[in-house]
Amino acid sequence: MPCLNISTNVSLDGVDTSSILSELTTSVAKLIGKPEAYVMVVLKGSVPISFGGTEQPAAYGELVSIGGLSPDTNKKLSAAISTTLETKLSVPKSRVFIKFYDTK
């Protein structure tokens, strides 16, 4: 089961988190090649984060999957996740850091 954990210093009060969770779930499932029913997404807001010495909007993510990850796939996942966070939460793509774990 792929699991995407996202923490951001952006407040999620008043934000339609359902649309973010849905969009991220679809992106992960499509790019990894697993059914959406197996994908978990956790989104935490208002987490104290400093990135590059500032507390401007930023996000940290970890994606764990049993298979399905590769350098090319990870690049596509980074782009899709960053785009969603930029569009929905105004976190610049340059302030998103994602770690990928492919477990056997």
Side-chain angles (χ1 to χ4, degrees), residues 33-83:
K34 306 232 179 194
E36 284 191 25
Y38 295 160
V39 177
M40 177 183 284
V41 177
V42 179
L43 179 62
K44 298 176 206 149
S46 299
V47 176
I49 297 175
S50 171
F51 186 172
T54 76
E55 294 180 38
Q56 294 298 311
Y60 171 75
E62 292 183 350
L63 178 61
V64 180
S65 181
I66 301 171
L69 298 179
S70 68
D72 185 54
T73 300
N74 296 356
K75 192 178 290 187
K76 291 175 185 173
L77 285 162
S78 290
I81 294 166
S82 296
T83 296

Side-chain angles (χ1 to χ4, degrees), residues 14 20 24-26 30 40 44 47 68 71 101:
I20 297 170
L24 291 172
T25 297
T26 299
K30 177 182 169 190
M40 177 183 284
K44 298 176 206 149
V47 176
Y101 298 99

